[in-house]
């Protein structure tokens, strides 16, 4: 297929996807969030899309879990869309965009382009069959199979083992895509490699901008935050000038997965705007809108279906926030939000959980640091490894402590890099203490500290997937 034909095919799929997002997610979401006041248009758009998307994802999972056809999941969204048309929300005529808003549009567009490039050239029809980019094949073929399998089977059958089913895996986004392509003449390849990455990138950019603008009350600051979130990696590029030609910098030099490295897996990106939506809705709950708390629980609850560790991290953070608010402010309402979140997580998690094949967290303090300084594809500082062995054999615990402290500082500074500015900013925001701020702080600390204490057993290096949540919020 030539370039013009490919662009036409992608455009048709994008228009069809846009219609689906409007009817099944945006309009129902606008009905769900109608009581949230004092919102900008971008915030209204983002929260409506995320709320409607989260509700639809949960509905699709429950419907398929009880073996009902996909179209049964369309009914709740269809009903809310009909309610919206019966009582439409009055939207004021948009004013002329400000320079900051034009800059946001430019950053968002660049983000979509650069984040979609790793997948865009895959799944394209050529005379010999299909063309795929090598670096996008690691997970994408697996997800293509899951999407096509989920059209007809829930749970999906395992492609490598006859008679076995896929367990202990987060395939909620694959299920959502399957529900879209089941009844419409849309290509799974177009959806997974081009449409969904662009949608996930746009939603993440919109979410970061809206969240930063709401916190700092400044569109200029929100644009800076978005630029750092999208394009700021770790310190490895700078370190190459200090280490010399023997040092090979990469996105995983300091172990954690940076945001710019994640679009190869769209399901790892779509969970980020869902998380941001939950935080924004939690803010509205603190502003006195009760529905905000339940919608936040909906967003937080479905996260486990997109990324299991993201769901675990937000649940732990929400639990700490509930304790803090109960003790310091005598506000016990967050326990209900936590309970609804956990309830939704159990609905999604328990049916696909198999304890015999699960790869859970294994307590191995310092494993990540050792891999960072010893692995040739990471920071690779053999001197530290040799010094540690010598001091351990010599019983020099003070020097051993110094080595480990240096490794922790290298890990933190290397991963944060420009995001050190975010640490300073959050330190200045602690007072007055609010639940959403407690959740943000706990998620940042959890995403940075948990990889220092655990690995993931036989899939040990997957522990680095905790990193993006904290890096995004900084």
């Amino acid at each position: 297929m030539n370039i013009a034909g490919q662009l036409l095919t992608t455009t048709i799929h994008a228009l069809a996807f846009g219609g689906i997002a409007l009817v099944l997610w945006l309009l129902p979401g606008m009905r769900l969030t109608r009581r949230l006041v004092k919102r900008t248009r971008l915030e209204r758009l983002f929260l409506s899309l995320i709320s409607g998307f989260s509700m639809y994802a949960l509905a699709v999972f429950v419907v398929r879990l009880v073996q009902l056809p996909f179209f049964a999941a369309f009914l709740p969204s269809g009903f809310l869309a009909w309610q919206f048309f019966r009582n439409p929300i009055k939207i004021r005529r948009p004013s002329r965009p400000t320079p900051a808003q034009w800059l946001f549009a430019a950053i968002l567009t660049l983000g979509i382009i650069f984040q979609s490039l790793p997948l865009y050239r895959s799944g394209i029809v050529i005379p010999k069959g299909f063309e795929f980019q090598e670096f996008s094949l690691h997970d994408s073929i697996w997800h293509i199979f899951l999407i096509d399998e989920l059209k007809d089977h829930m749970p999906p059958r395992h492609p490598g083992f006859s008679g076995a089913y896929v367990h202990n895996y987060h395939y909620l986004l694959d299920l959502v895509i399957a529900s879209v392509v089941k009844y419409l003449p849309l290509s799974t390849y177009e959806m997974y490699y081009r449409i969904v990455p662009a949608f996930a990138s746009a939603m993440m950019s919109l979410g970061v901008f809206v969240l930063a603008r709401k916190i700092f009350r400044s569109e200029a600051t929100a644009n800076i935050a978005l630029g750092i979130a999208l394009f700021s990696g770790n310190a490895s590029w700078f370190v190459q000038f200090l280490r010399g030609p023997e040092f090979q910098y990469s996105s995983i030099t300091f172990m954690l997965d940076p945001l710019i490295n994640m679009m190869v897996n769209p399901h790892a990106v779509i969970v980020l705007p869902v998380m941001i939506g939950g935080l924004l809705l939690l803010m509205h709950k603190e502003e006195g809108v009760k529905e905000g708390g339940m919608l936040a629980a909906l967003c937080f609850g479905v996260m486990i279906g997109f990324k299991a560790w993201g769901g675990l991290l937000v649940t732990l953070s929400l639990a700490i926030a509930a304790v803090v608010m109960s003790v310091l402010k005598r506000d016990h309402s967050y326990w209900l939000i936590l309970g609804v979140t956990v309830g939704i997580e159990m609905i999604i998690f328990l049916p696909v959980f198999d304890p015999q094949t699960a790869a859970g967290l294994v307590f191995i303090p310092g494993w990540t640091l050792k891999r960072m300084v010893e692995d040739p594809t990471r920071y690779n500082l053999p001197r530290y490894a040799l010094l540690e062995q010598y001091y351990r054999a010599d019983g020099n615990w003070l020097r051993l402590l110094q080595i480990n402290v240096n490794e922790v500082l290298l890990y933190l500074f290397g991963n944060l890099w420009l995001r050190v500015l975010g640490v300073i900013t959050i330190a200045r925001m602690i007072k007055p203490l609010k639940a959403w701020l407690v959740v943000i702080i706990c998620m940042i600390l959890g995403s940075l500290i948990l990889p220092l204490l655990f690995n993931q057993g036989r899939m040990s290096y997957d522990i680095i997937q905790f990193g993006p949540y904290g890096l995004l919020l900084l």
Side-chain angles (χ1 to χ4, degrees):
M1 184 181 295
N2 57 34
I3 296 178
Q6 181 59 54
L7 288 175
L8 178 61
T9 300
T10 302
T11 301
I12 292 173
H13 280 73
L15 292 174
F17 181 82
I20 293 167
L22 174 68
V23 176
L24 295 181
W25 304 337
L26 179 60
L27 296 182
M30 294 187 75
R31 181 65 181 176
L32 289 172
T33 61
R34 66 190 184 281
R35 295 185 183 276
L36 305 184
V37 295
K38 299 180 181 179
R39 297 172 296 164
T40 64
R41 291 184 180 86
L42 288 179
E43 185 179 357
R44 179 184 293 114
L45 172 66
F46 176 73
L47 288 180
S48 298
L49 269 172
I50 287 298
S51 298
F53 176 77
S54 300
M55 184 201 70
Y56 177 79
L58 179 60
V60 167
F61 186 89
V62 172
V63 162
R64 294 301 294 147
L65 185 63
V66 297
Q67 302 301 313
L68 292 175
F70 275 117
F71 66 78
F74 302 162
L75 299 179
S77 297
F79 174 76
L80 289 173
W82 177 67
Q83 288 290 320
F84 173 83
F85 283 116
R86 286 189 60 192
N87 300 288
I89 298 174
K90 294 182 179 180
I91 301 177
R92 293 176 299 172
R93 182 179 179 182
S95 56
R96 179 174 296 180
T98 64
Q101 291 170 348
W102 282 115
L103 179 58
F104 162 68
I107 297 174
L108 181 143
T109 303
L110 288 175
I112 292 174
I113 293 172
F114 285 109
Q115 286 192 311
S116 300
L117 282 178
L119 290 178
Y120 186 81
R121 288 296 302 171
S122 292
I124 294 178
V125 179
I126 60 176
K128 295 182 180 180
F130 283 95
E131 178 183 7
F132 294 93
Q133 295 294 310
E134 182 179 357
F135 51 80
S136 69
L137 283 175
H138 182 261
D139 284 337
S140 62
I141 293 298
W142 167 255
H143 287 284
I144 291 293
F145 166 81
L146 283 179
I147 293 168
D148 288 334
E149 178 68 12
L150 285 165
K151 292 178 186 177
D152 301 305
H153 300 97
M154 174 71 176
R157 297 171 297 185
H158 199 289
F161 302 95
S162 178
Y165 292 89
V166 176
H167 293 288
N168 302 317
Y169 196 75
H170 32 246
Y171 50 74
L172 189 54
L173 180 61
D174 301 318
L175 188 61
V176 170
I177 298 174
S179 72
V180 172
V181 299
K182 172 69 175 179
Y183 300 113
L184 296 174
L186 300 178
S187 165
T188 302
Y189 295 100
E190 284 292 329
M191 294 297 294
Y192 185 83
Y193 286 117
R194 282 168 282 283
I195 307 304
V196 172
F199 173 74
S201 177
M203 292 305 296
M204 186 182 76
S205 297
L206 181 58
V208 171
F209 180 84
V210 169
L211 179 64
R213 188 186 185 282
K214 190 172 183 67
I215 293 175
F216 300 108
R217 311 291 182 184
S218 167
E219 291 182 341
T221 304
N223 280 325
I224 294 173
L226 178 58
I228 292 176
L230 289 179
F231 304 116
S232 174
N234 56 37
S236 61
W237 183 84
F238 176 78
V239 170
Q240 68 174 320
F241 299 108
L242 304 178
R243 290 283 304 274
E246 77 281 356
F247 175 74
Q248 299 295 321
Y249 73 93
S250 73
S251 60
I252 54 175
T253 294
F254 299 98
M255 295 301 289
L256 295 186
D257 240 348
L259 295 174
I260 202 169
N261 198 39
M262 292 179 61
M263 190 50 83
V264 176
N265 300 313
H267 63 282
V269 178
I270 197 67
V271 70
L272 299 175
V274 175
M275 174 190 71
I276 293 174
L279 292 171
L280 285 166
L281 290 163
L282 208 58
M283 292 181 183
H284 282 282
K285 188 270 177 191
E286 293 193 345
E287 294 171 358
V289 183
K290 295 181 179 179
E291 290 86 346
M294 292 299 99
L295 290 175
L298 171 64
C299 293
F300 290 147
V302 299
M303 282 178 61
I304 199 169
F306 299 114
K307 263 303 193 183
W309 293 134
L312 172 64
L313 192 59
V314 77
T315 303
L316 293 175
S317 302
L318 193 57
I320 294 173
V323 172
V324 169
M325 300 308 289
S326 292
V327 173
L328 298 184
K329 294 195 173 183
R330 300 293 189 270
D331 185 352
H332 308 296
S333 61
Y334 293 93
W335 292 105
L336 177 59
I337 298 174
L338 176 63
V340 175
T341 299
V342 173
I344 294 173
E345 288 177 334
M346 292 301 100
I347 292 173
I348 296 173
F349 175 74
L350 291 179
V352 301
F353 177 66
D354 181 2
Q356 295 181 344
T357 59
L361 296 178
V362 179
F363 186 65
I364 308 181
W367 179 88
T368 297
L369 296 178
K370 306 316 165 193
R371 300 283 66 76
M372 180 182 71
V373 298
E374 294 177 11
D375 286 4
T377 57
R378 266 60 177 186
Y379 192 71
N380 189 23
L381 203 61
R383 177 175 173 269
Y384 270 32
L386 295 173
L387 283 174
E388 184 172 354
Q389 293 174 14
Y390 172 76
Y391 291 141
R392 190 181 299 277
D394 192 47
N396 192 337
W397 302 109
L398 187 61
R399 286 293 188 181
L400 192 62
L401 176 62
Q402 180 185 7
I403 289 291
N404 282 275
V405 170
N406 289 344
E407 290 175 355
V408 170
L409 293 176
L410 185 64
Y411 164 84
L412 291 175
F413 179 75
N415 282 303
L416 295 180
W417 191 221
L418 294 179
R419 291 178 173 85
V420 171
L421 299 173
V423 176
I424 299 172
T425 302
I426 289 179
R428 297 172 58 186
M429 291 168 51
I430 291 180
K431 292 183 179 181
L433 194 62
K434 296 182 180 295
W436 60 266
L437 184 57
V438 175
V439 173
I440 287 178
I441 292 173
C442 289
M443 291 197 70
I444 292 172
L445 293 176
S447 67
L448 294 175
I449 293 174
L450 286 175
L452 295 178
L453 301 177
F454 300 89
N455 72 15
Q456 206 174 321
R458 65 179 183 273
M459 302 172 64
S460 53
Y461 281 89
D462 280 0
I463 196 67
I464 68 176
Q465 295 178 8
F466 273 104
Y469 307 98
L471 296 179
L472 177 70
L473 293 172
L474 284 171

